């Protein structure tokens, strides 16, 4: 298989894998999680792996949310190119606020599809079904060379839609609760079993950040979660795979001294500034998993009435305590490489420990049992990039991104 030519995908060139490549997206893995777990002796494999491989840091895409970053990792390009700018957006065609889970919103092909079309075997396992259709888009599941399912719905998989009938039976575990560490463990167990049986050329394992939303780096539950991952990574390494780990985004504490979420309610702010309901605030973090974050993150966009001077509004917002920066559509989309037509007239990011909401009555915080930990802003952008083999040929001054992980594992390892 090493005779295969290089492939050019979305303007970047990738070498054919010399051995199976496994890329892991650890959802919400602020670098300190691994640093603390290694320091505490909970990740013996990873510690030794980093002794021989590469222990790098990079920046994720802003908004630092799950869907935009997973899609950047698997396409190798920012949201300006692939089009997925949030978990949720205002569809300009319908005027409706909708989830961005449908492949019809995707504007670029994935690295998986290009390799699959060239004959490679591909396996993708993700936690929540919300990502599955985007990640697996374009694969021919009847080819016998493509598998893509979620641990949430592994018992519902079929050859026609997922490349495998009843993936749960293959893994041999109960379907875990959607709010559990086991939802992620299921993925790694599936990965090890797929490596034994199918031995894919490229595997992608993408977890859920339930644990990171609830537990800070270095705490017992977080360390236990990272120890679990470490044990499966050791097995994948022993199976001869090259491993590349990164995160879709970081994670930070977002609460005040009283332990309450530290929120700027932007709809209320704009109602006071411009009149009730004149502006429309969209929170691209919004998803059905309110237990994680109550739809509170460090990024928002807003649509303003026609004729309004967006620069003037952005300037007033930027003067507020807790607002790190506020941009017009043009400036924000240039700064964060976002698609202009999927963002509002202004873009707001907060400082590290603040979040932005719409108005208090529109956030269900009753399910938030622990002090809020969340993400979304430029402040949550730092992520680990760990490679199991030595990396060479990367310029010292290159700003690494999480969506360089396939470039690093395929093109820069011996
Ligand atoms: Zn995430």
């Amino acid at each position: 298989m090493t005779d295969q030519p290089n492939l050019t995908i979305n303007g970047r060139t990738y070498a054919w894998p010399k051995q199976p490549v496994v890329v892991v997206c650890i959802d919400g893995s602020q670098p300190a999680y691994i640093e603390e777990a290694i320091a505490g002796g909970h990740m013996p494999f990873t510690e030794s792996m980093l002794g021989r491989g590469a222990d790098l840091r990079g920046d994720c895409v802003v908004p630092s949310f799950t869907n935009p970053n997973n899609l950047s990792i698997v396409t190798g390009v920012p949201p300006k190119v692939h089009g997925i700018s949030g978990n949720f957006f205002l569809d300009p065609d319908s005027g409706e606020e909708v989830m961005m889970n449908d492949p019809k919103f995707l504007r670029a092909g994935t690295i998986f599809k290009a390799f699959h079309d060239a004959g490679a075997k591909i396996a993708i396992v993700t936690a929540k079904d919300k990502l599955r259709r985007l990640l697996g888009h374009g694969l021919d599941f009847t080819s016998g060379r493509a598998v893509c399912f979620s641990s949430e719905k592994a018992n519902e998989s079929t050859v026609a839609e997922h490349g495998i009938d009843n993936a749960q039976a293959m893994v041999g575990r109960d379907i875990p609760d959607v709010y559990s560490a086991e939802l992620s463990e299921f993925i790694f167990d599936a990965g090890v079993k797929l490596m034994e049986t199918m031995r894919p050329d490229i595997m992608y394992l993408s977890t859920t950040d339930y644990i990171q939303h609830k537990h800070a780096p270095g705490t017992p539950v977080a360390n236990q979660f990272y120890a679990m991952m470490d044990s499966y990574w050791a097995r994948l390494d022993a199976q001869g795979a090259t491993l590349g780990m990164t995160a879709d985004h970081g994670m930070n504490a977002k609460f005040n001294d009283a332990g309450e979420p530290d929120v700027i309610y932007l709809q209320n702010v704009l109602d006071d500034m411009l009149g009730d309901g004149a502006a429309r605030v969209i929170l691209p973090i919004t998803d059905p998993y309110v237990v994680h974050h109550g739809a509170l993150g460090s990024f928002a966009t807003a649509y303003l009435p026609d004729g309004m001077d967006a620069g003037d509004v952005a300037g007033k917002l930027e003067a507020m305590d807790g607002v790190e920066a506020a941009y017009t559509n043009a400036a924000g989309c240039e700064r964060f490489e976002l698609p202009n037509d999927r963002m509002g007239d202004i873009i707001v990011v907060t400082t590290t420990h603040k979040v932005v909401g719409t108005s208090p009555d529109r956030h269900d915080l009753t399910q938030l049992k622990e002090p809020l930990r969340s993400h979304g802003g430029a402040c949550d952008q730092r992520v680990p990039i760990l490679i199991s083999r030595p990396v060479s040929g990367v310029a010292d001054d290159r700003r690494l991104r999480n969506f360089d992980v396939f470039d690093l594992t395929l093109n820069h390892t011996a």
Side-chain angles (χ1 to χ4, degrees):
M1 72 186 191
T2 46
D3 293 338
Q4 292 279 353
N6 293 345
L7 297 182
T8 298
I9 307 161
N10 301 322
R12 304 182 71 171
T13 300
Y14 297 92
W16 199 267
K18 292 179 272 294
Q19 57 281 122
V21 161
V22 179
V23 167
V24 178
C25 177
I26 317 162
D27 199 331
S29 194
Q30 172 194 0
Y33 281 105
I34 292 174
E35 293 162 4
E36 297 257 353
I38 288 177
H42 302 285
M43 300 187 85
F45 165 74
T46 305
E47 184 174 18
S48 78
M49 182 194 95
L50 295 178
R52 60 189 149 90
D55 185 8
L56 306 171
R57 299 290 177 272
D59 291 326
C60 77
V61 162
V62 176
S64 46
F65 296 133
T66 300
N67 284 15
N69 276 285
N70 267 272
L71 271 296
S72 280
I73 291 167
V74 308
T75 59
V77 288
K80 182 187 265 311
V81 181
H82 65 65
I84 305 298
S85 55
N87 301 338
F88 185 83
F89 86 124
L90 180 66
D91 186 346
D93 296 335
S94 65
E96 303 274 308
E97 298 173 25
V98 292
M99 298 297 294
M100 260 192 159
N101 296 347
D102 196 308
K104 73 181 181 189
F105 298 122
L106 196 51
R107 292 170 170 167
T110 67
I111 293 168
F112 310 134
K113 174 171 164 47
F115 274 96
H116 180 69
D117 288 350
K121 287 189 281 186
I122 307 291
I124 302 163
V125 190
T126 181
K128 298 177 194 165
D129 215 55
K130 71 174 182 177
L131 258 179
R132 176 189 56 82
R133 285 195 303 150
L134 289 169
L135 296 177
H137 185 56
L139 301 182
D140 175 6
F141 291 111
T142 62
S143 65
R145 292 184 291 105
V147 167
C148 177
F149 60 89
S150 69
S151 47
E152 185 183 11
K153 297 194 172 168
N155 56 329
E156 297 174 20
S157 76
T158 62
V159 167
E161 269 190 64
H162 310 81
I164 181 171
D165 278 328
N166 193 358
Q168 183 194 3
M170 185 269 299
V171 180
R173 285 174 167 267
D174 291 342
I175 297 296
D177 189 273
V178 71
Y179 299 118
S180 72
E182 289 74 23
L183 194 71
S184 294
E185 179 162 9
F186 191 104
I187 294 166
F188 294 109
D189 201 349
V192 167
K193 283 170 178 147
L194 286 167
M195 192 58 72
E196 276 166 14
T197 52
M198 176 190 184
R199 200 164 178 84
D201 300 295
I202 295 177
M203 180 185 282
Y204 185 63
L205 305 175
S206 183
T207 68
T208 170
D209 56 6
Y210 172 70
I211 293 295
Q212 290 86 349
H213 273 291
K214 302 291 172 196
H215 301 277
T219 57
V221 175
N223 284 339
Q224 189 181 7
F225 185 72
Y226 281 79
M228 176 276 290
M229 289 197 286
D230 187 78
S231 69
Y232 286 97
W233 297 350
R235 292 167 68 182
L236 289 162
D237 180 72
Q239 288 170 312
T242 298
L243 307 180
M245 293 83 159
T246 189
D248 56 346
H249 51 78
M251 184 74 71
N252 280 294
K254 309 277 184 187
F255 52 87
N256 58 24
D257 292 342
E260 302 296 327
D262 201 355
V263 191
I264 297 166
Y265 285 106
L266 187 61
Q267 186 67 53
N268 290 11
V269 171
L270 291 173
D271 285 354
D272 289 346
M273 195 186 294
L274 309 172
D276 278 0
R280 186 170 179 185
V281 174
I282 301 288
L283 303 176
I285 193 172
T286 308
D287 72 14
Y289 303 95
V290 292
V291 171
H292 286 195
H293 46 59
L296 294 171
S298 290
F299 182 101
T301 186
Y303 291 81
L304 302 179
D306 285 346
M308 182 77 54
D309 182 343
D312 181 53
V313 175
K316 286 177 181 156
L317 294 176
E318 198 165 87
M320 288 178 62
D321 183 40
V323 173
E324 182 179 276
Y327 304 91
T328 61
N329 176 293
C333 289
E334 187 183 343
R335 167 86 172 80
F336 298 126
E337 300 175 276
L338 296 171
N340 299 77
D341 61 330
R342 291 180 174 177
M343 283 287 141
D345 300 307
I346 53 169
I347 291 171
V348 176
V349 289
T350 68
T351 53
T352 305
H353 301 296
K354 285 265 188 189
V355 285
V356 58
T358 50
S359 46
D361 57 306
R362 288 171 62 189
H363 290 271
D364 176 8
L365 305 183
T366 58
Q367 300 301 310
L368 276 180
K369 303 298 184 204
E370 291 85 11
L372 180 67
R373 299 176 53 75
S374 193
H375 50 93
C379 53
D380 311 303
Q381 215 180 355
R382 210 66 182 149
V383 291
I385 304 174
L386 315 181
I387 313 288
S388 66
R389 295 177 197 269
V391 164
S392 60
V394 179
D396 287 342
D397 60 350
R398 177 170 160 188
R399 180 195 181 201
L400 290 176
R401 308 300 302 271
N402 57 352
F403 60 83
D404 293 328
V405 66
F406 276 103
D407 172 50
L408 294 169
T409 47
L410 290 169
N411 298 335
H412 292 278
T413 57

